[in-house]
Amino acid sequence: MTTFAVMIRTNFHTHSLFCDGKDTIEAFVKAALEHDFQRLGFSGHAPVPIDNGFAIRSGSLQNYCDSVRQNQQKYKDQIEVFLGLEADFIPGVTIPFNELRESCGLDYIIGSVHLVSNKESGELWFIDGPDRDIYDLGMKNLFGDDIRAAVSAYFEQVKTMIQQERPDIVGHIDKIKMHNNERFFSTSDKWYSDLMIEVLEASAEIGAIVEVNPRGVYKGRCEELFPGKEWLPLMKEMGIQVMLNSDAHHPDDLMKEYHSSLDAIRKAGYMKLAVWSKNGLEEVEI
Ligand SMILES: [Zn+2]
Ligand SMILES: [Zn+2]
């Protein structure tokens, strides 16, 4: 693995118009160039075989891949562009990550859970998006208002995803806390911490990168990063590599909370960030 001594600016979590992002692939590349990024990775939401409003349609997946590769070629002298997907994991429902990897020749996969499955009924609880009422209603209807059962189902699904699908990067690992915002439970509760430790251990075991993602903060949906900065020192101790990803849905998102997130990572004792390169994973000093 190479380590760069010079700090470079990167982002590997970007959503364009092919999914729920708000601009074209090229508009993001241009914005990244304006902000002096040296590397930009796209991570459109992989097709999910159920009705949804956020993922790339399966018929458009090839167009998405082609568009990223075309921009990679067009801007190759100015910025390194990478082709990835943010793949959902729902047991028995979603496409295996390896199939996605092969069908598109991806550079990497971010594995994320946005829809939590109730094991008995198979019903899905959408825990993301701007609407807190959907979170509250799903917790009530699918888990009988038992927040601990609901949160446990989320973390179990994340853990199974890590072990079974082996994502390169784990996306917003504790997104489940976003709409809770310390209302039904505290992220310092012992039962919650135990669940968090389990998914971090699973990540460490397979050598997955855990991204640090400030989207909840800059969207005003929660006060903390994913994962909360209180977890970073333990992650460092566990040997987990971190990557700083804005989860940009708009070109303006690329730099949001960039410096504050980097500060939190440094304060936790990290001296390097994981980044993607033509040869796979690399580290850069920060
Ligand atoms: Zn996501
Ligand atoms: Zn995302």
Side-chain angles (χ1 to χ4, degrees):
M1 192 185 300
T2 325
T3 302
F4 280 88
V6 183
M7 175 78 201
I8 60 168
R9 195 169 281 178
T10 62
N11 178 59
F12 299 93
H13 193 153
T14 314
H15 298 280
S16 72
L17 284 170
F18 281 98
C19 55
D20 59 350
K22 303 288 181 251
D23 219 327
T24 60
I25 302 276
E26 186 160 23
F28 279 95
V29 174
K30 285 181 173 166
L33 283 169
E34 273 168 35
H35 291 296
D36 297 322
F37 280 70
Q38 285 84 7
R39 295 181 195 177
L40 179 67
F42 287 88
S43 59
H45 288 287
V48 182
I50 50 161
D51 222 11
N52 73 83
F54 63 89
I56 299 172
R57 306 282 133 200
S58 52
S60 303
L61 184 59
Q62 195 57 54
N63 286 347
Y64 161 75
C65 297
D66 292 347
S67 179
V68 174
R69 292 297 187 203
Q70 278 157 13
N71 280 281
Q72 180 181 53
Q73 198 53 30
K74 183 170 175 183
Y75 291 93
K76 69 178 189 312
D77 298 331
Q78 297 165 72
I79 187 167
E80 286 181 60
V81 171
F82 296 90
L83 171 62
L85 282 172
E86 181 180 18
D88 262 84
F89 173 70
I90 310 165
V93 175
T94 42
I95 306 159
F97 290 8
N98 275 343
E99 259 178 52
L100 293 170
R101 282 190 175 97
E102 283 158 25
S103 66
C104 315
L106 299 178
D107 295 317
Y108 61 87
I109 282 190
I110 301 176
S112 297
V113 171
H114 306 96
L115 293 152
V116 181
S117 172
N118 177 303
K119 266 191 170 170
E120 273 99 60
S121 66
E123 286 173 285
L124 298 172
W125 177 34
F126 184 55
I127 58 132
D128 203 354
D131 198 347
R132 190 160 92 168
D133 292 343
I134 292 176
Y135 181 92
D136 291 7
L137 206 64
M139 199 247 300
K140 183 165 175 265
N141 293 343
L142 272 71
F143 296 93
D145 254 341
D146 184 346
I147 188 67
R148 195 165 158 174
V151 170
S152 301
Y154 168 81
F155 278 116
E156 196 185 324
Q157 206 168 303
V158 172
K159 192 167 89 173
T160 309
M161 171 186 78
I162 294 166
Q163 292 170 338
Q164 190 179 307
E165 302 289 346
R166 304 178 77 88
D168 303 288
I169 302 152
V170 184
H172 45 67
I173 195 164
D174 57 355
K175 177 144 260 186
I176 193 68
K177 75 183 177 193
M178 181 174 80
H179 285 309
N180 171 63
N181 228 341
E182 301 289 297
R183 292 180 301 146
F184 306 112
F185 64 91
S186 163
T187 49
S188 57
D189 288 345
K190 166 108 176 40
W191 65 269
Y192 181 88
S193 301
D194 288 345
L195 292 168
M196 191 63 192
I197 288 167
E198 274 187 46
V199 292
L200 290 176
E201 279 172 351
S203 306
E205 239 161 67
I206 69 151
I209 298 161
V210 174
E211 70 169 8
V212 174
N213 175 327
R215 184 162 176 80
V217 179
Y218 69 71
K219 292 301 282 183
R221 292 176 192 156
C222 68
E223 283 167 18
E224 261 300 333
L225 300 168
F226 308 124
K229 59 178 175 297
E230 70 273 20
W231 290 103
L232 294 171
L234 176 67
M235 287 162 58
K236 169 91 176 44
E237 222 171 275
M238 292 166 90
I240 294 172
Q241 290 178 290
V242 292
M243 178 179 267
L244 175 52
N245 279 335
S246 66
D247 202 349
H249 286 63
H250 189 283
D252 292 347
D253 294 340
L254 283 169
M255 280 304 289
K256 285 183 182 165
E257 300 297 331
Y258 180 88
H259 294 290
S260 58
S261 305
L262 199 56
D263 271 357
I265 294 168
R266 285 193 185 117
K267 277 198 184 111
Y270 276 100
M271 292 161 81
K272 288 170 189 171
L273 276 183
V275 294
W276 220 256
S277 78
K278 285 186 196 109
N279 307 312
L281 187 61
E282 275 178 2
E283 289 189 306
V284 287
E285 287 183 6
I286 54 173

